[in-house]
Every structure is written in structure tokens, then in C-alpha cells.
Amino acid sequence: MRIAYKVVAGALALIASAPVRAADGPAVLGIPVDFILFAITLLGVALFHHYTLRVALAGLAVITV
């Protein structure tokens, strides 16, 4: 369990120390919002694997709008 805390702390330190630069679109901590939405879609597909098509289509609709 302590290793997980160290990994999360290291990842947060990396994100916090990353240089800020202008992105083509909106970004959160330097990560484009469409990548974040895609990651959320993948997480939804993994959690609700019985409804894969519905979750994937909902994610597609959110990302394209």
C-alpha cells in the first residue's frame, strides 16, 4: 500500500513540475481535455463492460460535441 502512495506522489510531483505551455485547445495541467475525456470513456468501458457499445457511443458524443 505504501508503494502505491509513493507512485501517486511521484506522479503528482511530475505533473506539478511540468512546464506550462500553450495548447491548441483547452487543457488541464497541460493535458488536452479531449485526452482526458477519452480516458474517462475507456474507464467507463472497463467498469461497465456489459454496456460497452452504449458507453463508447456516449463517450464519442461527448468528445465530438
Side-chain angles (χ1 to χ4, degrees), residues 22-41:
D24 294 334
V28 175
L29 296 175
I31 303 169
V33 173
D34 53 344
F35 288 157
I36 295 170
L37 292 173
F38 180 68
I40 292 170
T41 301

Side-chain angles (χ1 to χ4, degrees), residues 33-64:
V33 173
D34 53 344
F35 288 157
I36 295 170
L37 292 173
F38 180 68
I40 292 170
T41 301
L42 288 179
L43 183 64
V45 167
L47 292 176
F48 303 107
H49 59 274
H50 294 291
Y51 306 103
T52 302
L53 182 62
R54 293 180 191 167
V55 172
L57 290 176
L60 177 66
V62 168
I63 291 171
T64 56

